[in-house]
Amino acid sequence: MDGAVFLDRDGTIIEDRGHLQSESQVVFFPETFNALRRLQREFPLFIVTNQSGRAKGILTPEDIDRVNRYVVSALAGYGIEIEDVYVCPHSREDGCECIKPNAFFIDMAAEEYGIDPRRSYSVGDHPHDVSFAGNAGGKGVYVLTGHGEKHIRELNPDTIVMPGIKEAADWILINKAMDEGGQALREGFERAVGCIKNGDVAAVPTETVYGLAANALDPVAVAKIFEMKGRPAFDPLIVHVAGIAQAESLVAFMPQEARRLAELFWPGPLTLVLPKNERVPDIVTSGLPTVAVRTPDHPLALALIQETDIPLAAPSANRFGRTSPTTAEHVRQEFGDELEAVIPGEACRIGVESTIISFADEKPFLLRPGGLPIEDIERVIGTLSPCPPQSESPGAPGMLPRHYAPQTPLVLDSALEDVQLTGRRKGLLAMQEVGNERRWDKVETLSECGDLQEIAANLFAGLRRLDAADLDIIVAETVTEEGLGRAVMDRLRRAAHDG
Ligand code: TXA
Ligand code: MG
């Protein structure tokens, strides 16, 4: 049985504006959507709210219902499903069973939905929201939004206190990953923490690809990344930060549109190129006046940044120009004993690198298509400008024409007519189930049903398997350039070469 997350409503996921009667009074915190989307990947979500306005005669049952239904449907619009909403309509004086911190509704969810209270978490801006899960054997997280600041003195000293819902989600996801990872994870993680603090390099999983990380503020540590990868010094690195506050400590300023994107999509596969400040060493940015920053959506990467309190410069953990690694095993194949610490983790969920948006010019523009569809970005800040010609070089080698390449020659099936296949050992990188597999010496099917997310997630691993199959040539099928399809086609074109 799995746990669930029980979210307080007012002051936790929406602003606390007193007794809410109508939809128009509901204001979500900007970071709520991404935080709940991330939690939902691991837990069913419940809202548990106390509406004492009912007992006081300020709210009718219809008012409460209207607002709750609106909150649930607004979240659904962002792809977030709330399993159930539980309401206690009493005031404390009523002495009811269902008021927090009584675990009444958690027990009810256990009965109705089969969740495990001991693996569950509650989040809220009142001390009772914290003891709520505690009383059911789970864990509570306190947030400083809403009434959080006001009641802070009443907290038990060992309470987990977080600035808001984003950080609460981080904490819960890290706590779960560490609990489940066992001894091997804890050891790998501790070794990585040691390496980073000592100015050495460690491999860390992110949601996109595995990264080769070092202290971004230590030029000697960063030089080790360049050396290990054989990466040219003109290719700047992405700095991985815990969130907006840490990003701000590295930049001269953050334009409003950049902040909005960070609020909505961090942690996530979005990198922002912003004017840097003097704290960022030149080696990180290859001497450019800008720095690339992102917050990775992976509990172990976040845990490493938080535990060391160090921003991490990290390119993909492969030798320069080669296929990016999406498993710890790929990293080991690439670097073997050269690397002291590789944090073990499951295969990277997204599988292609982050989308990079530059704010180096007046208008934001796309530097690299990646794991966050540009359609999602344009919905927030409008149509992106075309990439100005001077930014192609020297600053953007993810933009080099040949990159991500297997050793075996690779052609796109759209360019097949020019290529001689007969008599050669040939492999197919297929985007969906293929009919005549026997035409090929080896076939890697990235997704049986042609699902783009699955294709992206399996892309680099599929390329690696074909590369290891002793073929003369790899033929790659193509996908439509929409959503994640853009990133997939971008990587395939750069992987293409004739030997
Ligand atoms: O998903 C990802 O972004 C992964 C994981 C590890 O976070 N990282 C990654 O890093 O893909 P890498 O080294 O493959 O890509 C870094 C690219 C550079 O090649 C360049 O195109 C761009 O980021 N970049 C970095 N700093 C820049 C800057 N100041 N101006 C323009 N582009 C920059
Ligand atoms: Mg509250």
Side-chain angles (χ1 to χ4, degrees):
M1 239 188 344
D2 287 329
V5 175
F6 296 88
L7 302 151
D8 172 46
R9 196 188 79 184
D10 303 359
T12 302
I13 60 173
I14 64 175
E15 286 182 15
D16 192 332
R17 302 195 157 188
H19 302 287
L20 301 187
Q21 287 171 295
S22 79
E23 295 92 328
S24 62
Q25 294 168 297
V26 173
V27 180
F28 280 93
F29 293 116
E31 291 172 330
T32 291
F33 304 109
N34 201 33
L36 301 199
R37 221 181 283 138
R38 296 166 60 225
L39 285 172
Q40 177 180 260
R41 287 200 298 262
E42 305 286 333
F43 301 95
L45 303 180
F46 294 84
I47 291 174
V48 182
T49 179
N50 173 244
Q51 296 294 322
S52 58
R54 173 81 194 94
K56 293 178 187 146
I58 307 169
L59 296 174
T60 66
E62 292 74 34
D63 292 336
I64 296 171
D65 200 41
R66 188 179 316 119
V67 172
N68 282 335
R69 264 189 289 132
Y70 173 73
V71 168
V72 168
S73 76
L75 290 172
Y78 283 83
I80 299 152
E81 191 191 334
I82 299 297
E83 219 62 48
D84 213 335
V85 180
Y86 295 125
V87 181
C88 163
H90 309 107
S91 68
R92 203 149 294 288
E93 298 77 58
D94 292 352
C96 62
E97 270 189 294
C98 58
I99 201 160
K100 295 174 201 167
N102 296 334
F104 183 82
F105 286 125
I106 297 184
D107 294 338
M108 190 177 244
E111 213 159 278
E112 292 184 340
Y113 295 91
I115 62 106
D116 180 353
R118 280 156 310 158
R119 291 168 156 204
S120 293
Y121 299 82
S122 61
V123 187
D125 64 330
H126 190 281
H128 289 146
D129 291 317
V130 177
S131 5
F132 178 47
N135 287 339
K139 296 173 187 166
V141 182
Y142 191 77
V143 287
L144 292 175
T145 43
H147 292 278
E149 292 282 359
K150 196 167 78 190
H151 295 288
I152 195 159
R153 294 235 174 78
E154 301 157 33
L155 290 173
N156 193 317
D158 52 13
T159 307
I160 308 297
V161 180
M162 291 289 148
I165 186 72
K166 180 258 176 199
E167 293 82 1
D170 291 351
W171 188 89
I172 291 170
L173 293 167
I174 291 172
N175 192 264
K176 177 173 194 269
M178 289 294 178
D179 273 358
E180 290 174 354
Q183 191 66 13
L185 171 61
R186 271 188 293 278
E187 280 173 17
F189 183 77
E190 284 313 320
R191 251 199 316 279
V193 169
C195 283
I196 298 297
K197 286 187 174 165
N198 279 333
D200 280 324
V201 171
V204 56
T206 81
E207 80 281 31
T208 59
V209 299
Y210 256 81
L212 201 57
N215 182 351
L217 304 179
D218 175 353
V220 177
V222 175
K224 292 180 187 169
I225 299 178
F226 280 92
E227 202 180 300
M228 275 186 82
K229 273 194 70 125
R231 180 172 174 122
F234 62 74
D235 191 353
L237 302 178
I238 294 170
V239 180
H240 298 70
V241 291
I244 295 177
Q246 197 172 44
E248 279 181 317
S249 76
L250 304 174
V251 306
F253 66 94
M254 191 179 282
Q256 203 45 45
E257 288 174 320
R259 171 181 302 276
R260 183 91 190 118
L261 291 178
E263 281 172 352
L264 290 175
F265 299 119
W266 280 4
L270 171 69
T271 295
L272 302 173
V273 173
L274 301 166
K276 81 175 197 76
N277 69 23
E278 69 297 336
R279 285 185 77 209
V280 184
D282 281 334
I283 186 170
V284 173
T285 68
S286 305
L288 292 169
T290 50
V291 61
V293 282
R294 88 173 185 102
T295 299
D297 183 9
H298 194 293
L300 302 177
L302 281 173
L304 187 62
I305 300 168
Q306 289 180 8
E307 179 74 21
T308 58
D309 197 20
I310 289 173
L312 300 176
S316 50
N318 53 280
R319 309 233 184 238
F320 185 69
R322 296 267 170 245
T323 312
S324 305
T326 52
T327 66
E329 188 50 37
H330 294 160
V331 180
R332 287 270 176 231
Q333 284 163 8
E334 197 92 11
F335 293 107
D337 293 341
E338 256 182 88
L339 252 182
E340 201 184 312
V342 179
I343 300 180
E346 289 168 6
C348 302
R349 183 169 54 80
I350 297 204
V352 290
E353 294 83 349
S354 59
T355 303
I356 307 180
I357 303 291
S358 175
F359 285 85
D361 274 10
E362 222 166 287
K363 291 256 158 65
F365 57 92
L366 176 74
L367 267 177
R368 175 175 78 184
L372 182 69
I374 67 166
E375 291 87 342
D376 292 4
I377 295 167
E378 292 190 325
R379 221 168 287 136
V380 179
I381 60 168
T383 308
L384 293 163
S385 297
C387 185
Q390 75 273 16
S391 64
E392 289 263 353
S393 64
M399 321 272 296
L400 284 179
R402 180 167 166 192
H403 211 81
Y404 314 107
Q407 248 121 349
T408 317
L410 181 146
V411 290
L412 301 183
D413 68 354
S414 51
L416 252 190
E417 347 175 323
D418 312 332
V419 182
Q420 181 57 259
L421 286 182
T422 38
R424 301 175 81 184
R425 276 183 55 80
K426 48 193 178 293
L428 179 71
L429 189 68
M431 301 296 155
Q432 56 193 329
E433 203 178 356
V434 271
N436 48 350
E437 286 219 13
R438 272 186 300 163
R439 273 189 62 203
W440 305 93
D441 295 284
K442 185 167 171 66
V443 174
E444 274 296 330
T445 305
L446 299 184
S447 164
E448 291 293 327
C449 58
D451 173 67
L452 267 179
Q453 279 184 13
E454 219 177 324
I455 289 171
N458 292 326
L459 176 66
F460 289 135
L463 270 177
R464 275 171 185 272
R465 279 193 292 269
L466 287 173
D467 205 17
D470 193 26
L471 300 164
D472 300 319
I473 188 159
I474 299 168
V475 176
E477 291 183 350
T478 55
V479 292
T480 314
E481 299 203 41
E482 274 165 23
L484 277 179
R486 267 182 236 263
V488 171
M489 284 311 297
D490 173 79
R491 304 306 185 270
L492 283 177
R493 275 199 207 95
R494 291 175 209 281
H497 66 98
D498 54 15

